[in-house]
Amino acid sequence: MPAKKRTAKITRNTKETQITAKLTVDGSGKYKIKTPIPFFDHMLESFTKHGLFDLELKATGDVHVDDHHLVEDVGLVLGQAFVKAVGNKAGMRRYGFFSLPMDESLANVAVDFCGRPCMIYNSPAKRGKIKNFDLQLVHEFFQAITNEAGLNLHIDVIRGENKHHIVEAIFKSFAKSMDMSTQLDSRIKSVLSTKGKL
């Protein structure tokens, strides 16, 4: 009998944003994503496809003011969804690492799904815009996921010149790292920690 898929549905409604997300960790890369920010949609689709997750996400908000609230809140919701979906993390590999090239860009991402939030973010594309998308929001998005999911997340862009390539390499490398860290290993009988709890 196949193992039950790890899924979660999260809804967040505030005066600034309205977000609903359904995440399946043990997915196949299917996505249905709709936000008012096209470049952000593209990054979330890449994350879902390359992480082999399934994600349905609908988000609206006060983007007439700024994109910040929506991007950050989507990060919060995704972080909560991962925590809910994986439960007590029994049998989970916990760690993930991936080095991903995107043309001239190379992004290294390492994650420890340990319950203690800490993010290190090194990228040559911290400021500026891709069309109308503010690059500072990439940091805000990953900080929100880190805080809600309790990740130890290290993002290091080794090289890169094209801003689109850099950001896409980060999202895809993060996807592969999260896929690795959330995979189940039959050799791990409880949780991968000498403390017996994550």
Side-chain angles (χ1 to χ4, degrees):
M1 181 176 177
K4 183 180 178 182
K5 287 190 175 183
R6 294 170 292 169
T7 65
K9 185 174 181 179
I10 303 290
T11 299
R12 177 184 173 89
N13 290 312
T14 73
K15 292 180 179 179
E16 297 171 342
T17 62
Q18 302 77 45
I19 303 167
T20 301
K22 182 180 178 183
L23 172 72
T24 301
V25 172
D26 309 298
S28 60
K30 297 177 187 174
Y31 56 81
K32 186 176 180 181
I33 295 168
K34 181 66 176 174
T35 82
I37 309 170
F39 179 75
F40 190 41
D41 285 7
H42 177 46
M43 292 301 101
L44 293 173
E45 290 166 359
S46 293
F47 166 75
T48 307
K49 186 72 173 179
H50 291 274
L52 297 174
F53 307 116
D54 291 342
L55 178 64
E56 294 179 20
L57 183 139
K58 184 177 181 181
T60 58
D62 58 354
V63 293
H64 61 284
V65 176
D66 188 62
D67 293 344
H68 185 283
H69 296 150
L70 188 133
V71 171
E72 182 179 38
D73 285 6
V74 168
L76 296 174
V77 166
L78 285 179
Q80 292 166 11
F82 269 102
V83 168
K84 186 175 180 180
V86 301
N88 66 3
K89 304 174 189 171
M92 206 172 78
R93 288 183 173 174
R94 175 179 167 178
Y95 299 99
F97 173 85
F98 206 85
S99 182
L100 191 134
M102 178 84 181
D103 293 345
E104 87 296 342
S105 300
L106 180 67
N108 289 349
V109 174
V111 63
D112 176 6
F113 207 148
C114 60
R116 299 185 306 278
C118 175
M119 185 178 79
I120 305 297
Y121 183 80
N122 293 310
S123 169
K126 289 184 177 180
R127 304 200 185 284
K129 291 189 176 184
I130 298 174
K131 201 170 183 179
N132 296 320
F133 185 82
D134 186 345
L135 288 174
Q136 290 180 310
L137 297 181
V138 178
H139 179 281
E140 297 302 320
F141 172 76
F142 285 108
Q143 187 67 66
I145 290 183
T146 295
N147 292 343
E148 290 299 312
L151 303 178
N152 181 197
L153 176 63
H154 289 246
I155 297 172
D156 291 290
V157 177
I158 305 305
R159 66 184 64 90
E161 296 179 8
N162 182 284
K163 290 180 286 189
H164 189 135
H165 294 166
I166 290 168
V167 175
E168 190 163 343
I170 291 171
F171 270 82
K172 289 179 176 177
S173 186
F174 177 65
K176 303 298 285 184
S177 299
M178 286 296 285
D179 176 39
M180 186 183 300
S181 72
T182 56
Q183 285 178 14
L184 298 175
D185 189 322
S186 61
R187 297 171 297 175
I188 304 169
K189 301 307 178 185
S190 57
V191 294
L192 194 58
S193 172
T194 54
K195 294 189 286 287
K197 183 179 180 180
L198 286 174

